[in-house]
């Protein structure tokens, strides 16, 4: 079944162009991954699972999802809440800073839209992706219900995919994040951690140690990202090291990991080998970091992917 859903939050992005002008777009880790997956593998049905509002920007975001050919079956609209928003400012030295307004976003209410019937709409062989950011935005009081929902999906044969994507400011404490991540690793079939994500929380500082940390969790596939350093994978008792060609003109590393995840998963769903999937994902991520913002323009992205046979 060629179907994957990305659960989490997509936000309104404002980028200051000058003192009086902002450029508005949409971004968020799960949305970025979904967009890149769909660009490379249009035959894989790719959907969002999120909550927005009924305001003008929410409507525009839904239109954007549809324009990116994303399935919106599980995009819910809260009657009062609105989407999260963030502002990117770049100073004279090119240093970026981010300001967020997301503490009361519609996405935090996602579990309120999940009744027992929702899990029944997922089928065996489909994929559900969650990240550490998805977990953090689910209200702590809803997390038990969220784990029960994932349990139900798992028992229906849905493959759970997890990328820890740790953002300290979204958690009340590191301990809370650790517990949630351990629970997610326990439920997941595929994990795509970055070395940096586990460094702070679990005191792990190299890719091999991330594999050692992950192996007791009974994952089918572990893919460890490490910036420009080799990607390590572990599946079917086989540890593979995949060299990455470092990009020399890095413009903005935002969403490198998201692009990697989307394209890797699309390739695996399309039954490509792990070696091929990593190479395609690395090409996508290496292209994205040569453009500003989370979503690289379509044309140069497609050109780069065409060059590697997509
Ligand atoms: P995240 O965005 O989650 O921090 P990483 O920084 O680990 O993710 O990068 C994800 C992937 O992006 C890497 O596995 C690699 O394929 C690619 N990548 C990141 N930085 C570079 C770089 N400087 N040169 C080439 N590829 C890179």
């Amino acid at each position: 079944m060629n179907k994957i859903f990305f659960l989490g939050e997509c936000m309104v992005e404002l980028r200051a162009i000058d003192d009086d002008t902002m450029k508005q777009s949409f971004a968020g880790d799960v949305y970025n991954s979904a967009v890149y997956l769909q660009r490379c593998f249009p035959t894989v049905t790719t959907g969002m699972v999120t909550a927005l509002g009924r305001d003008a920007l929410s409507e525009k975001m839904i239109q954007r999802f549809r324009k990116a050919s994303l399935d919106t079956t599980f995009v819910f609209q809260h009657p009062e809440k609105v989407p999260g928003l963030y502002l990117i400012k770049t100073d004279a030295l090119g240093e970026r800073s981010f300001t967020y307004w997301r503490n009361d976003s519609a996405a935090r209410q996602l579990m309120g839209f999940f009744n027992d019937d929702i899990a029944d709409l997922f089928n065996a062989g489909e994929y559900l992706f969650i990240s550490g950011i998805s977990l953090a935005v689910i209200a702590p009081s809803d997390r038990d219900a969220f784990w029960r929902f994932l349990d139900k999906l798992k028992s229906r044969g849905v493959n759970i995919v997890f990328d820890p994507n740790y953002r300290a400011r979204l958690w009340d404490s590191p301990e809370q994040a650790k517990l949630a991540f351990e629970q997610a690793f326990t439920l997941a079939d595929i994990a795509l951690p970055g070395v940096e994500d586990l460094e702070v929380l679990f005191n792990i500082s190299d890719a091999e140690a991330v594999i050692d940390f992950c192996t007791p969790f009974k994952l089918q596939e572990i893919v460890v990202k490490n910036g420009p350093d080799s990607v390590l994978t572990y599946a079917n008792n086989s540890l593979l090291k995949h060299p990455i060609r470092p990009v020399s003109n890095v413009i903005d590393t935002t969403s490198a990991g998201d692009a990697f995840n989307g394209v890797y998963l699309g390739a695996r769903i399309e039954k490509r080998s792990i070696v091929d999937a990593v190479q395609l994902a690395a090409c996508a991520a290496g292209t994205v970091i040569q453009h500003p913002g989370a979503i690289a323009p379509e044309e140069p992205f497609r050109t780069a992917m065409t060059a590697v046979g997509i």
Side-chain angles (χ1 to χ4, degrees), residues 64-100:
R64 186 62 57 88
F65 290 167
R66 296 201 173 121
K67 199 166 163 225
S69 302
L70 302 181
D71 184 297
T72 54
T73 307
F74 300 113
V75 175
F76 304 99
Q77 289 185 272
H78 194 279
E80 287 117 35
K81 303 286 182 186
V82 293
L85 177 146
Y86 70 104
L87 168 68
I88 310 173
K89 233 175 156 201
T90 310
D91 69 15
L93 297 171
E95 200 60 41
R96 290 172 302 139
S97 62
F98 296 81
T99 312
Y100 291 90

Coordinates of all heavy atoms in Angstrom, one line a residue, residues 64-100:
R64 N -2.6 25.3 -0.2 CA -1.2 25.0 -0.4 C -0.9 23.5 -0.4 O -0.2 22.9 -1.2 CB -0.3 25.8 0.6 CG 1.2 25.6 0.3 CD 1.6 26.2 -1.1 NE 1.2 27.6 -1.2 CZ 1.9 28.7 -0.8 NH1 3.1 28.5 -0.3 NH2 1.5 29.9 -0.9
F65 N -1.6 22.8 0.6 CA -1.4 21.4 0.8 C -1.9 20.7 -0.5 O -1.3 19.8 -1.1 CB -2.3 20.8 1.9 CG -1.8 21.2 3.3 CD1 -2.6 20.9 4.4 CD2 -0.5 21.7 3.5 CE1 -2.2 21.2 5.7 CE2 -0.1 22.0 4.8 CZ -0.9 21.8 5.9
R66 N -3.1 21.2 -1.0 CA -3.7 20.6 -2.2 C -2.8 20.8 -3.4 O -2.7 20.0 -4.3 CB -5.1 21.1 -2.4 CG -6.0 20.7 -1.2 CD -7.5 20.7 -1.5 NE -8.2 20.1 -0.4 CZ -9.2 20.7 0.3 NH1 -9.5 21.9 -0.1 NH2 -9.7 20.1 1.3
K67 N -2.3 22.1 -3.5 CA -1.4 22.4 -4.6 C -0.2 21.5 -4.7 O 0.4 21.1 -5.7 CB -1.0 23.9 -4.5 CG -0.5 24.4 -5.8 CD -0.5 26.0 -5.8 CE 0.4 26.4 -7.0 NZ 1.4 27.4 -6.6
A68 N 0.3 21.1 -3.5 CA 1.4 20.2 -3.4 C 1.0 18.7 -3.5 O 1.8 17.8 -3.2 CB 2.2 20.4 -2.0
S69 N -0.3 18.5 -3.9 CA -0.8 17.2 -4.1 C -0.8 16.4 -2.8 O -0.6 15.1 -2.8 CB -0.1 16.4 -5.2 OG -0.2 17.1 -6.4
L70 N -1.0 17.0 -1.6 CA -1.1 16.3 -0.4 C -2.5 16.0 0.0 O -3.4 16.8 -0.2 CB -0.4 17.1 0.8 CG 1.0 17.5 0.5 CD1 1.5 18.3 1.7 CD2 1.9 16.3 0.3
D71 N -2.7 14.8 0.5 CA -4.1 14.3 0.9 C -4.5 15.1 2.2 O -3.7 15.2 3.1 CB -4.0 12.8 1.2 CG -5.3 12.2 1.5 OD1 -5.9 12.6 2.5 OD2 -5.8 11.3 0.7
T72 N -5.7 15.6 2.2 CA -6.1 16.4 3.3 C -7.3 15.8 4.1 O -7.9 16.4 4.9 CB -6.6 17.8 2.9 OG1 -7.6 17.7 1.8 CG2 -5.4 18.6 2.3
T73 N -7.4 14.4 3.9 CA -8.5 13.7 4.7 C -8.4 14.0 6.2 O -9.4 14.1 6.9 CB -8.3 12.2 4.4 OG1 -8.3 12.0 3.0 CG2 -9.5 11.4 5.1
F74 N -7.2 14.0 6.7 CA -7.0 14.2 8.2 C -6.5 15.6 8.5 O -5.8 15.8 9.5 CB -6.0 13.1 8.7 CG -6.5 11.7 8.4 CD1 -5.8 10.9 7.5 CD2 -7.6 11.2 9.0 CE1 -6.2 9.6 7.3 CE2 -8.1 9.9 8.8 CZ -7.3 9.1 7.9
V75 N -6.9 16.6 7.8 CA -6.6 18.0 8.1 C -7.9 18.5 8.7 O -8.9 18.7 8.1 CB -6.2 18.8 6.9 CG1 -6.0 20.3 7.3 CG2 -4.9 18.3 6.4
F76 N -7.9 18.7 10.1 CA -9.1 19.2 10.8 C -9.1 20.7 11.0 O -8.0 21.3 11.0 CB -9.2 18.5 12.1 CG -9.1 17.0 12.0 CD1 -7.9 16.3 12.2 CD2 -10.2 16.2 11.6 CE1 -7.9 14.9 12.0 CE2 -10.2 14.9 11.5 CZ -9.0 14.2 11.7
Q77 N -10.2 21.3 11.1 CA -10.3 22.7 11.3 C -11.0 23.1 12.6 O -12.2 22.8 12.8 CB -11.0 23.4 10.1 CG -10.2 23.3 8.9 CD -10.8 24.1 7.7 OE1 -11.5 23.5 7.0 NE2 -10.4 25.3 7.6
H78 N -10.3 23.7 13.6 CA -10.8 24.0 14.9 C -11.6 25.3 14.7 O -11.2 26.2 14.0 CB -9.6 24.3 15.8 CG -10.0 24.3 17.3 ND1 -10.6 25.5 17.8 CD2 -10.0 23.4 18.2 CE1 -10.8 25.2 19.1 NE2 -10.5 23.9 19.4
P79 N -12.8 25.4 15.4 CA -13.6 26.6 15.2 C -13.0 27.9 15.8 O -13.4 28.9 15.3 CB -14.9 26.2 16.0 CG -14.6 25.1 16.9 CD -13.4 24.3 16.2
E80 N -12.1 27.8 16.8 CA -11.6 29.1 17.3 C -10.1 29.3 17.2 O -9.6 30.4 17.0 CB -11.9 29.1 18.9 CG -13.3 29.4 19.2 CD -13.9 28.2 20.0 OE1 -13.1 27.6 20.8 OE2 -15.1 27.8 19.8
K81 N -9.3 28.2 17.2 CA -7.9 28.3 17.2 C -7.4 28.7 15.8 O -8.1 28.5 14.8 CB -7.2 27.0 17.7 CG -7.7 26.6 19.0 CD -7.1 27.4 20.1 CE -7.5 26.9 21.5 NZ -7.1 27.8 22.6
V82 N -6.1 29.1 15.7 CA -5.5 29.5 14.5 C -4.1 28.8 14.4 O -3.6 28.3 15.4 CB -5.3 31.0 14.3 CG1 -6.7 31.7 14.2 CG2 -4.5 31.6 15.5
P83 N -3.5 28.8 13.2 CA -2.2 28.0 13.1 C -1.1 28.8 13.9 O -1.2 30.0 14.1 CB -1.9 28.1 11.6 CG -3.1 28.6 10.9 CD -3.9 29.3 11.9
G84 N -0.1 28.0 14.2 CA 1.1 28.6 14.8 C 1.8 29.5 13.8 O 1.6 29.3 12.6
L85 N 2.7 30.4 14.2 CA 3.3 31.3 13.3 C 4.8 31.6 13.8 O 5.0 31.5 15.0 CB 2.5 32.6 13.3 CG 3.0 33.9 12.5 CD1 1.8 34.6 12.0 CD2 3.9 34.8 13.4
Y86 N 5.7 31.7 12.9 CA 7.0 32.1 13.3 C 7.7 33.1 12.3 O 7.3 33.2 11.2 CB 7.9 30.9 13.5 CG 8.4 30.2 12.3 CD1 9.7 30.3 11.8 CD2 7.5 29.3 11.7 CE1 10.1 29.6 10.7 CE2 7.9 28.6 10.6 CZ 9.2 28.7 10.1 OH 9.6 28.0 9.0
L87 N 8.5 33.9 12.9 CA 9.2 35.0 12.2 C 10.7 34.7 12.1 O 11.3 34.3 13.1 CB 9.0 36.3 12.9 CG 9.8 37.5 12.5 CD1 9.4 38.0 11.1 CD2 9.6 38.7 13.5
I88 N 11.2 34.8 10.9 CA 12.7 34.6 10.7 C 13.3 36.0 10.4 O 12.9 36.6 9.5 CB 13.0 33.7 9.5 CG1 12.2 32.4 9.6 CG2 14.5 33.4 9.5 CD1 12.4 31.5 8.3
K89 N 14.3 36.3 11.2 CA 15.0 37.6 10.9 C 16.4 37.3 10.7 O 17.0 36.5 11.4 CB 14.8 38.5 12.2 CG 14.3 39.8 11.8 CD 14.0 40.7 13.0 CE 14.0 42.1 12.5 NZ 14.2 43.2 12.5
T90 N 17.0 37.9 9.7 CA 18.5 37.7 9.4 C 19.2 39.0 9.7 O 18.8 40.1 9.2 CB 18.7 37.3 8.0 OG1 17.8 36.2 7.7 CG2 20.1 36.8 7.7
D91 N 20.2 39.0 10.6 CA 20.9 40.2 10.9 C 21.9 40.6 9.9 O 22.1 39.8 8.9 CB 21.5 40.2 12.3 CG 22.6 39.2 12.5 OD1 23.2 38.8 11.4 OD2 23.0 38.9 13.6
A92 N 22.6 41.7 10.1 CA 23.6 42.2 9.1 C 24.7 41.2 8.8 O 25.3 41.2 7.7 CB 24.2 43.5 9.5
L93 N 25.0 40.3 9.7 CA 26.0 39.3 9.6 C 25.5 38.0 9.0 O 26.2 37.0 8.8 CB 26.7 39.0 10.9 CG 27.5 40.2 11.5 CD1 27.9 39.9 12.9 CD2 28.7 40.6 10.7
G94 N 24.2 38.0 8.6 CA 23.6 36.8 8.0 C 23.1 35.8 9.1 O 22.7 34.7 8.8
E95 N 23.2 36.1 10.4 CA 22.8 35.2 11.4 C 21.3 35.3 11.6 O 20.7 36.3 11.6 CB 23.4 35.7 12.8 CG 23.5 34.7 13.9 CD 24.4 33.5 13.5 OE1 25.4 33.6 12.9 OE2 23.9 32.4 13.9
R96 N 20.6 34.1 11.5 CA 19.2 34.0 11.6 C 18.7 33.9 13.0 O 19.3 33.2 13.8 CB 18.6 32.9 10.8 CG 18.8 33.1 9.3 CD 18.5 31.8 8.5 NE 19.2 30.7 9.0 CZ 18.8 29.4 9.1 NH1 17.5 29.2 8.9 NH2 19.6 28.5 9.5
S97 N 17.6 34.6 13.3 CA 16.9 34.3 14.6 C 15.4 34.1 14.4 O 14.8 34.5 13.4 CB 17.1 35.5 15.5 OG 16.5 36.7 15.0
F98 N 14.8 33.3 15.2 CA 13.5 32.8 15.1 C 12.6 33.2 16.3 O 13.1 33.1 17.4 CB 13.4 31.3 15.0 CG 14.1 30.7 13.8 CD1 15.5 30.5 13.8 CD2 13.4 30.3 12.7 CE1 16.2 30.0 12.7 CE2 14.1 29.8 11.6 CZ 15.5 29.6 11.6
T99 N 11.4 33.8 16.0 CA 10.5 34.1 17.1 C 9.2 33.3 16.8 O 8.7 33.3 15.6 CB 10.1 35.6 17.1 OG1 11.4 36.3 17.1 CG2 9.4 35.9 18.4
Y100 N 8.7 32.6 17.8 CA 7.5 31.7 17.6 C 6.3 32.2 18.3 O 6.4 32.7 19.4 CB 7.8 30.3 18.1 CG 8.9 29.5 17.2 CD1 10.2 29.6 17.5 CD2 8.5 28.8 16.2 CE1 11.2 29.0 16.8 CE2 9.4 28.1 15.4 CZ 10.8 28.2 15.7 OH 11.7 27.5 15.0

